[in-house]
Amino acid sequence: MFRGWLSTRKAELDALQSLNTLSESQNLEIAMHAATHIMNDDLDSAEAGLGQGSSSFHKLGKGIIAFIRATLGFEPEIMREASERLADAEAQASADHRRAQRDSQAYRSVIYPPGSEFALCHAQSQLMGAVVGVLNESLTESIKGFYKLRKAYITLDGILEAEIRHMRARSGLGNNTPAKRSFDSLKSNSSTASVSGMPGGFDDARKSKKTVQVLKIQDHEKSNVNHSQFLDATVAKEKDRVRDSGDDDENDEFYDAGEDTSAHLPDVYTGHVELHGASGKLAQLSLSSDNSHEPKSSPSSKILSSQAEVLDHDPNSEIFANPIDVFIHTGANVCFGMMLVMISMIPPAFSRLLSIVGFRGDRERGLRLLWQASKFHNVNGAMSGLMLLGYYNTIIGFSDIIPDPDLSPHGDVGGYPKKRCEALLAEMRHRHPKSCLWILEEARMNAANRDLSAAMALLSRPTKSPLKQVEALDMFETSLNAMYMHDYGLCSISFLNCIALNNWSHALYYYIAGAAHVEQYRSLKTKFPESAATHAKKAIELLKEAPKHSGKKKFMARQLPFDTFVVRKINKWEQRAQERNIELIDAIGVSPIEEMIYLWSGHKRMNPSQLEASLDALAWSESSPNWARESSDEQGIYSLVRAVIFRNLDQWDKATEILKKGIMSIDKTELKGGFKDDWIAPAAHYEMGVICWMRRKASSIDQERTWVKECETWVETAAKWESYELDARIGIKIATAQDTLKKWKEDRASK
């Protein structure tokens, strides 16, 4: 029956029109032209242009539009639409890829194997589908997303391997060079499935007979998987073998996370994924031919023997004479680069997820790939530019232990290449003058440079984006900057406006809006009691509203970390009010706004006068008559935030003293249990590491090594901390610190 189905399927495919080079190039050109409207915030024009065709390129473009809408707004219905469009694009690319391998009229690249353009479309669809799946509230969909991520990784890695082989050949490197032998040795010894053994593999070496196992939640062996979804770019002598096997994403058995599947679970116990103290049991995801779960790096990420093996030419190079090659190169660079950076930032608390994905990230290589793609004037280049600016202005802006900034025009990608980012932003605004996304990134850049006033001037521009999702991002950025500037009125109004613009974390928005009124109540209480009472009433109204919206959004079937945080804080204050027989407004502890500013790394964006204003806001707590009897965790918050402020004022000795006296001297058991803030202690250890990292700059070489060693000790202690609230958020800083310290040691070892 199965062979009969295959024969029928083959006849149908043969009856389809041949993929000739001319029509393929035309479809690509039309689709790419229509897609350029995306980066000018004109999704309607992009939709209209892409709707005129049904090629893999057109369907990928429509999937990108839905993906952008989904990830900017997180609305459930738009995420469902994105999943459907991306699945359609994935299926079309799979069929076109198989056809391109057989059709002699299809485009043949001198760099890439036949059908690579469709393998790229397939991988891009899988990658975007994986992100949508992980953002989905269902744990099942999240697991399927990680599985797709793994498959997309191998396809993209195969495309970049083809570039390496081509560049090696152009450079006169033979097949028996030391680099080649090392490269092949890594491939043969890797416990992960070979590139050729997975969809999209491009290796022309001998294929392994072992097949890749699929995710099994039901204890059911699937021997007859659907061949139509199996995507494998291999040389001609392997095609017959591959056609007898298959790998179908859609036929994998999954159950919703809420169902009882205990009767169907496999015998092998898979352990737990720690998510904020809760354990999520995951079914076995075996993506290799053995049972190893140790994350691996791909061979091509380990061996790049010389710069001659890297395809980093400019767009006007003769190597990019064909637009299809440009599409493959830029698409592979932007997608693989994004994946390497994204995976490298997974916090230690989620390390088990790395074993599911099956590989580790490589932040520096990923950034270099993104910079390479950003050179090209197409939608892939624009997406690379957006990701780069987003990374430097948010992730690097959020972190503290980062490489020193490089001010040269071609600065190192690891730290914050200021001049390079400014040039990239200017180029992107020139290419896409109608897009408000670039204005948002310029505002973020100003904030990262401690110029919040300039950032707010850009965000308050009269011209608004026609996209609701971009408007929502603008409003959220305005809300944060108002909070950093201690403009409490604007902060409260802006966060309440966010509620109407997106569906992400309404509990957090209500909480911060209420906390802003708390600060106004405190500042007016003595001199203007009537006005203070008005703010107190509004603060309590908003704070009590916040828990009602908690849990409405989930990530991997778990409540959002800040939703959990908000509910616990309000419960804590209500308990204090009851125990002390006081009003709720007076039971609130250390400045909730300053605490939130710390959690968003806002003090890093403040100028000295704004930092002093933060110290004044904290002083209210210490002036309270009950401060001496205040709980250890409240005093810990006070010490932590004050230390961070003094660290940003370059008063390192004072910051260190505050942390040691205010937190390190406290038994950590006093910071645990009940409604206490258990995240303070690991955050303080991380902050001690930050101070060491800052102090090394003004030290001799020997002293620098001492400071870095101490920094590493503090960071590793924080990384190995037991599960705690906000561990994922603080873990992003820790992961960035670990990556920075690793690079620092590698750089010093090479000198």
Side-chain angles (χ1 to χ4, degrees), residues 102-249:
R102 295 195 308 267
D103 191 346
S104 61
Q105 299 299 312
Y107 174 66
R108 293 294 186 263
S109 171
V110 297
I111 305 174
Y112 309 102
S116 293
E117 62 272 35
F118 301 115
L120 173 63
C121 290
H122 188 271
Q124 285 183 300
S125 300
Q126 284 187 318
L127 177 57
M128 289 184 286
V131 174
V132 172
V134 171
L135 292 175
N136 196 290
E137 297 183 5
S138 164
L139 178 60
T140 301
E141 291 301 315
S142 297
I143 297 172
K144 291 172 68 175
F146 278 105
Y147 178 56
K148 283 181 176 289
L149 191 70
R150 173 75 169 108
K151 297 181 75 175
Y153 176 96
I154 293 179
T155 299
L156 296 167
D157 185 56
I159 293 175
L160 294 178
E161 281 187 42
E163 290 188 352
I164 293 172
R165 289 195 298 271
H166 177 75
M167 295 306 294
R168 184 183 293 122
R170 279 173 58 98
S171 303
L173 295 175
N175 289 334
N176 198 34
T177 61
K180 179 68 165 61
R181 291 194 298 270
S182 178
F183 188 86
D184 291 340
S185 174
L186 275 170
K187 291 174 68 175
S188 63
N189 292 334
S190 174
S191 65
T192 58
S194 71
V195 178
S196 61
M198 284 289 289
F202 295 94
D203 180 31
D204 59 357
R206 179 179 177 86
K207 302 296 186 291
S208 168
K209 297 296 182 181
K210 298 178 180 178
T211 59
V212 180
Q213 297 175 347
V214 297
L215 176 64
K216 302 184 186 72
I217 292 183
Q218 186 179 23
D219 188 16
H220 174 66
E221 198 67 32
K222 294 188 175 303
S223 57
N224 295 332
V225 293
N226 186 351
H227 180 78
S228 69
Q229 296 298 315
F230 192 83
L231 182 68
D232 193 357
T234 58
V235 293
K237 66 180 180 180
E238 291 297 323
K239 287 182 180 177
D240 294 336
R241 181 191 66 77
V242 174
R243 286 175 184 143
D244 292 333
S245 63
D247 187 6
D248 182 13
D249 295 347

Side-chain angles (χ1 to χ4, degrees), residues 9 18 76 134 140 305 400 414 434 465 486 543 550 556 574 577 625 663 713:
R9 180 63 176 163
S18 173
V134 171
T140 301
S305 64
D400 307 285
K434 296 180 181 179
S465 172
H486 307 99
L543 290 173
S550 174
M556 293 185 66
E574 288 178 337
I663 302 177
T713 300

Side-chain angles (χ1 to χ4, degrees), residues 543-557:
L543 290 173
K544 287 190 173 182
E545 182 70 21
K548 298 176 184 178
H549 299 269
S550 174
K552 292 188 176 181
K553 292 294 296 182
K554 288 181 168 51
F555 177 75
M556 293 185 66

Side-chain angles (χ1 to χ4, degrees), residues 26 73 171 343 384 426 445 448 517 597 660:
Q26 289 175 340
S171 303
I343 296 299
S384 292
M445 187 178 291
H517 284 283
I597 288 174
K660 288 183 175 180

